Amino acid sequence: MTTVDPAPAPPMRLRELVFGAACAAAVRAAARLGVADALGDTPMTVEDLAAAVKTQPRTLRRLLRALSCQGVFTEQPDGTFAHTEMSRLLREDDPHSLRYIALWCTEPWTWDVWPKLDEAVRSGRNVFEDVYEREFFTYLNEDAPESAHVFNRAMTTSSKQSAQDVADLLDLGDVSSVADIGGGQGHVLASLLEKHPSLNGALLDLPGVVENADPRLRDGGALSSRVRVVAGDCREDIPVQADVYIIKNILEWDDESTRRALANVRRAARPGARVVVIENLVDDTPSMRFTTAMDLLLLLNVGGAKHTRQSMVDRLTDAGLVIGEIRPVNAYLHAFECTVPA
């Protein structure tokens, strides 16, 4: 049975940290092998699990032992393995599944750029283009279709899981229209429209994104009569007017792109319109280990950054928005409520 020191001394903790890649690789291997999907509610022997996922029993036991030390699966006294709360999140059918997010954060390109973090820190720019000689999203869409698929599934998962939290947070009872800027497939917008039957909405994102919009928003969908789907780039123009603009998890580019997007919202919005910016923060949050890691990955692949509370306030103020309340959406997102001045 696997046992773990609950509070390792600093020398051992540092040893664990520098072997962090092994932990990430173990989670990725379990996700790709489908171990969590093969393991049901009843503990299973390694031999039965190995047969189900077509691996060698001895090496699968080694993988499961390493994961059990991290709380992903648990080894029973009789040597069988069972689910934990974390391991269930690797199941594809779990309503809170993080399977594709786990795969996205460990895609092959990540292993090429992480070792160059010191170069990115020195230069302040991404290293992805040095490694692959291509801009990140061009590489994904043209050279790495499997990774692009994983990215799209991960973003869909993340959006779906936070959409209801956003809908629960925002009070839109006194408005008639909402625009989701850079809203991906429109899961947040769909949740808002379902909550408010008198609300009309607009979804703006790149052409290749909105063509795969949530079926509820497309022609013939349950919400389509109240939705305008607009293909475009918010850094270039926002041809949409609304009472409320939602900008969620897109102000992570370089400063110039962020400035242009906010300026376009400011230009499109009528005086008095609300602008709700929703972002992960790298401070003032219970999820700092997660958000600071994402922040470093953004530096590596696109030269972007997650925000502190103050850096977000500075950018919104520079855009001419009046900041009101700042509220947590959930454990890893904050909402900045702003208005457009007269």
Side-chain angles (χ1 to χ4, degrees):
M1 183 174 176
T2 304
T3 58
V4 184
D5 180 358
M12 183 52 66
R13 179 57 181 150
L14 185 58
R15 286 183 170 92
E16 291 173 355
L17 286 174
V18 297
F19 264 112
C23 181
V27 173
R28 179 178 178 82
R32 285 174 61 85
L33 290 169
V35 178
D37 296 291
L39 180 58
D41 293 331
T42 304
M44 290 178 65
T45 66
V46 169
E47 289 73 21
D48 287 343
L49 265 177
V53 299
K54 298 180 173 55
T55 66
Q56 296 298 315
R58 290 179 63 184
T59 45
L60 180 60
R61 180 181 293 279
R62 292 163 65 181
L63 176 66
L64 289 170
R65 183 187 301 128
L67 287 167
S68 295
C69 290
Q70 305 293 339
V72 184
F73 303 106
T74 183
E75 186 177 2
Q76 305 296 300
D78 63 359
T80 61
F81 285 87
H83 269 302
T84 62
E85 189 174 348
M86 273 200 290
S87 66
R88 289 186 186 279
L89 297 175
L90 291 177
R91 290 183 61 94
E92 191 155 359
D93 62 359
D94 189 275
H96 305 291
S97 177
L98 296 177
R99 181 177 187 272
Y100 280 97
I101 291 175
L103 290 173
W104 168 242
C105 293
T106 56
E107 279 296 280
W109 62 267
T110 66
W111 304 95
D112 291 333
V113 297
W114 276 122
K116 298 181 180 296
L117 181 58
D118 58 325
E119 295 178 23
V121 171
R122 286 193 190 97
S123 67
R125 55 178 295 275
N126 82 74
V127 297
F128 187 93
E129 292 173 33
D130 296 334
V131 174
Y132 287 97
E133 299 182 341
R134 311 201 71 169
E135 185 267 342
F136 177 68
F137 286 105
T138 300
Y139 166 81
L140 275 191
N141 294 321
E142 296 183 4
D143 297 339
E146 182 178 346
S147 194
H149 171 72
V150 168
F151 171 75
N152 290 333
R153 291 294 299 267
M155 295 305 101
T156 297
T157 295
S158 179
S159 182
K160 283 182 176 179
Q161 291 175 355
S162 61
Q164 192 57 53
D165 293 332
V166 174
D168 290 341
L169 178 79
L170 297 182
D171 181 4
L172 301 182
D174 60 345
V175 303
S176 61
S177 59
V178 60
D180 195 354
I181 306 302
Q185 295 173 323
H187 302 299
V188 168
L189 179 61
S191 294
L192 291 170
L193 294 177
E194 286 186 334
K195 181 179 179 181
H196 302 280
S198 63
L199 192 65
N200 290 305
L203 173 66
L204 172 72
D205 212 316
L206 299 173
V209 176
V210 295
E211 69 182 14
N212 295 309
D214 188 305
R216 290 171 291 178
L217 306 180
R218 284 183 252 156
D219 289 345
L223 303 171
S224 60
S225 64
R226 294 192 280 136
V227 177
R228 176 186 171 205
V229 177
V230 182
D233 185 340
C234 63
R235 293 168 294 181
E236 302 302 326
D237 185 33
I238 297 178
V240 175
Q241 281 205 331
D243 298 321
V244 179
Y245 293 81
I246 296 173
I247 308 172
K248 178 176 175 288
N249 280 140
I250 64 170
L251 300 181
E252 304 168 344
W253 310 295
D254 59 277
D255 284 346
E256 175 60 18
S257 293
T258 295
R259 185 197 66 76
R260 284 162 47 201
L262 288 173
N264 287 335
V265 171
R266 177 75 169 80
R267 189 176 302 115
R270 295 182 290 260
R274 290 165 59 189
V275 178
V276 182
V277 174
I278 300 171
E279 286 289 340
N280 306 105
L281 299 179
V282 291
D283 64 350
D284 194 25
T285 173
S287 60
M288 280 186 64
R289 291 183 181 177
F290 170 61
T291 53
T292 55
M294 287 198 299
D295 177 58
L296 294 178
L297 190 59
L298 279 169
L299 169 62
L300 290 169
N301 68 346
V302 295
K306 289 292 182 182
H307 290 282
T308 64
R309 176 182 288 239
Q310 189 58 53
S311 71
M312 194 73 258
V313 166
D314 290 343
R315 281 157 179 76
L316 296 174
T317 301
D318 289 345
L321 299 172
V322 178
I323 302 171
E325 196 173 8
I326 302 172
R327 296 183 287 167
V329 177
N330 53 31
Y332 54 92
L333 289 171
H334 277 69
F336 293 74
E337 288 265 7
C338 309
T339 55
V340 176

